Amino acid sequence: MFKDSFKTEFRKAITNKMAVIDLLIVLALSIYHAITVIINYQDFYELYLSRADNENLMITSESLFNRWLALDVASFPTSTFYFMIPLIVVLPYGWSLVSEIRSGYTKNIIVRTTRKNYFLSKYVANFLSAAFVTIIPLALNFLMLGLFIPSLKMESIYPYGTIGQGCMWAEIYYEYPFIYCFMYLLLDGIFAGLIASISTAVAFIVRNKVVTIIAPFFLMLVLDYIDSNYLLKGEFSPIKFMQALPVANDCYGWAVAAIGIVMFVSTFGYVMYKGYHYEVL
């Protein structure tokens, strides 16, 4: 049954040593960012108290909705997190299928269950492990900052933390910022899973663990290069549009949806097709 197969795969996906180490590293980056932002806010608040009567210090520049890891696009931790995300999401379980194919485990397991159950379980477990290793650090960072930094709504009149009116979810960002952040948590989790799924698909093409791990990273860098140099009227690179504020150009919902659909159909379709025709020799 799929349920039993999935339970086994998901348990392996979240308890293996690589997944635990990967999550701890990303959590460390998330906590480091939160601590530095909190320290900087304390300094800013003291300055604000001393000068607020005489000048506009734009206090919303230090809002939770401008300093959260997913929104703080000018910071080193945010840039590092999203640049490395194609590797971060693959490390927990993206290498699993190619390892089991090479070891012969796949041949042994599919004689005891159906090909559909095994390969679907692999796809879903890898997808969810990637989503968790992305969402957990972002959520922790948001909660930590929320304890120390005010959640002031952003104002479009200031030159920071702003998005264009044509940008995806712009009205939600200004009117309901908590909902906006939650929606981006889900969006990042979904695209983390889609990026990690590339490694599952590549396992049928290349029987090399290292290549399987770096393939999504290389592909995302190629897409980011094309986006940065040729697609200048919007954000079409997952590395960029997974960040909750535009990095260089506006982010459009139709583009995000189209890219997500293409990634899902191509990876899921290929994995299930190759899995169905996988031969036990």
Side-chain angles (χ1 to χ4, degrees), residues 5-6 22 37 73 80 89 102 113 168 216 219 231-232 241 259 280:
S5 179
F6 171 70
D22 186 43
V37 170
V73 296
T80 302
V89 301
R102 291 185 61 185
T113 185
M168 182 175 70
L219 179 59
L231 305 175
L232 305 179
F241 67 62
I259 293 170
V280 181

Side-chain angles (χ1 to χ4, degrees), residues 122-151:
K122 278 290 181 190
Y123 187 95
V124 176
N126 183 37
F127 188 104
L128 291 178
S129 66
F132 287 164
V133 82
T134 303
I135 291 175
I136 291 173
L138 288 173
L140 175 65
N141 183 269
F142 186 85
L143 292 173
M144 288 182 64
L145 292 179
L147 294 174
F148 296 92
I149 297 180
S151 51

Side-chain angles (χ1 to χ4, degrees), residues 181-240:
C181 293
F182 179 74
M183 291 171 69
Y184 252 95
L185 270 179
L186 295 181
L187 178 72
D188 282 4
I190 291 170
F191 271 91
L194 292 174
I195 293 172
S197 298
I198 296 172
S199 62
T200 306
V202 171
F204 289 104
I205 304 172
V206 181
R207 301 291 197 269
N208 185 290
K209 186 174 179 179
V210 175
V211 174
T212 302
I213 290 174
I214 66 173
F217 182 69
F218 177 76
L219 179 59
M220 290 301 107
L221 286 185
V222 171
L223 290 177
D224 192 63
Y225 176 81
I226 294 172
D227 175 70
S228 299
N229 291 276
Y230 302 103
L231 305 175
L232 305 179
K233 294 186 177 182
E235 300 286 23
F236 301 96
S237 165
I239 291 177
K240 288 193 177 75

Side-chain angles (χ1 to χ4, degrees), residues 30-57:
S30 172
I31 294 171
Y32 166 75
H33 173 265
I35 292 173
T36 57
V37 170
I38 291 169
I39 292 174
N40 290 337
Y41 174 74
Q42 298 301 322
D43 294 338
F44 171 83
Y45 188 67
E46 291 179 4
L47 179 66
Y48 174 79
L49 291 177
S50 64
R51 298 186 181 181
D53 294 335
N54 301 317
E55 57 184 292
N56 180 8
L57 296 178

Side-chain angles (χ1 to χ4, degrees), residues 103 111 174 211 227 229 264:
S103 68
V111 299
Y174 288 112
V211 174
D227 175 70
N229 291 276
F264 173 72

